[in-house]
Amino acid sequence: MSGSHEETNRERGARLLIVGPPGSGKGTQAAYIAEAFGIPAISTGDIFRHHITHKTELGLKVQAIVDAGDYVPDELTNQLVAQRLSESDCAKGFLLDGYPRTADQVRFLDELLAQDGALEAVVRLTADEDELVRRLTHRAHEQGRADDTEEAIRHRQNVYNEQTAPIIDIYRGRGLLVEVDGIGGVDEVAARIREALAARGIGVAGDPAAA
Ligand code: ADP
């Protein structure tokens, strides 16, 4: 990516969300999109894991919840995101990964963005549940995440289906939803996302997909 592309993207200031069930590859794709757009990828899961690893006050508070695959209380999560979005690197755009996940978080984010400008698009990765369990079990072997036991994986999928799927309807109702098939190679899925965003006029300058 050249400097001029970065400049254009910074001016553009994309404000994006990525949502998808556990194992849909949203973390990997979030990093790709963020790099292409020159914006920070903000993963609430990564932030919580960082706190847990460093045994901060917040980390100790949320460890058991995260390990069990339950959602951290909205109050804590909302404050964390408000703080992160107030940092200077978010002034020209951001990509939120794993937030909002509940209706209360959607409301909180709406208020937070009311002054600075609303979201431009919500990328939703879709994937078959069997494929997701296969991927996560594989990741458990490779990374040893404490919440990647089969029991916790199934629990996280149930929690996602119950709590987070309804927020997709909210964003669909606002006409912001960009649905992308998450099954395929990393580059293949990344290209699909780029094309789907470009089709809505959200693109990386000089990218053929944006033409
Ligand atoms: P995955 O989507 O693969 O399950 P994440 O890294 O996004 O993993 O999140 C890991 C865990 O962090 C969640 O299971 C939950 O405990 C906590 N978490 C992350 N984001 C949120 C959020 N927006 N609200 C509440 N809890 C969250």
Side-chain angles (χ1 to χ4, degrees):
M1 179 166 50
S2 80
S4 65
H5 291 180
E6 273 178 28
E7 197 51 47
T8 309
N9 296 328
R10 244 178 259 129
E11 285 157 18
R12 200 183 297 268
R15 293 164 164 260
L16 306 169
L17 299 189
I18 185 163
V19 294
S24 61
K26 70 184 161 52
T28 305
Q29 294 300 333
Y32 267 62
I33 303 170
E35 205 204 324
F37 282 83
I39 55 178
I42 300 168
S43 157
T44 42
D46 280 351
I47 298 174
F48 285 132
R49 279 187 290 278
H50 178 88
H51 280 273
I52 290 168
T53 305
H54 292 86
K55 296 188 165 45
T56 65
E57 196 182 327
L58 176 65
L60 294 172
K61 221 182 263 181
V62 304
Q63 175 155 28
I65 301 171
V66 172
D67 285 354
D70 289 320
Y71 283 174
V72 171
D74 288 330
E75 166 79 15
L76 286 177
T77 309
N78 287 336
Q79 290 315 317
L80 186 94
V81 171
Q83 201 273 326
R84 182 64 188 87
L85 288 181
S86 73
E87 288 173 26
S88 58
D89 63 332
C90 297
K92 297 279 168 64
F94 54 79
L95 170 67
L96 282 167
D97 160 12
Y99 179 94
R101 262 170 147 112
T102 65
D104 183 70
Q105 292 178 12
V106 171
R107 275 190 296 275
F108 184 86
L109 183 64
D110 284 344
E111 281 172 30
L112 207 59
L113 298 182
Q115 294 168 351
D116 307 331
L119 294 169
E120 286 175 79
V122 176
V123 176
R124 178 202 188 187
L125 286 184
T126 56
D128 171 79
E129 288 218 351
D130 288 345
E131 168 69 13
L132 296 178
V133 172
R134 196 191 62 74
R135 282 192 194 179
L136 284 173
T137 315
H138 180 73
R139 182 171 80 184
H141 289 303
E142 297 209 320
Q143 296 180 4
R145 248 176 71 164
D147 62 349
D148 274 345
T149 63
E150 189 173 338
E151 197 189 343
I153 291 168
R154 288 189 197 290
H155 183 62
R156 266 151 61 219
Q157 284 186 332
N158 290 339
V159 172
Y160 175 84
N161 287 331
E162 278 166 27
Q163 301 219 35
T164 304
I167 76 149
I168 289 164
D169 292 336
I170 299 176
Y171 289 119
R172 182 183 289 114
R174 295 182 191 176
L176 291 177
L177 205 62
V178 175
E179 297 197 84
V180 175
D181 179 3
I183 298 295
V186 171
D187 290 342
E188 198 181 344
V189 175
R192 278 182 210 144
I193 295 175
R194 226 173 42 235
E195 281 161 25
L197 287 174
R200 298 175 64 99
I202 304 166
V204 176
D207 183 339

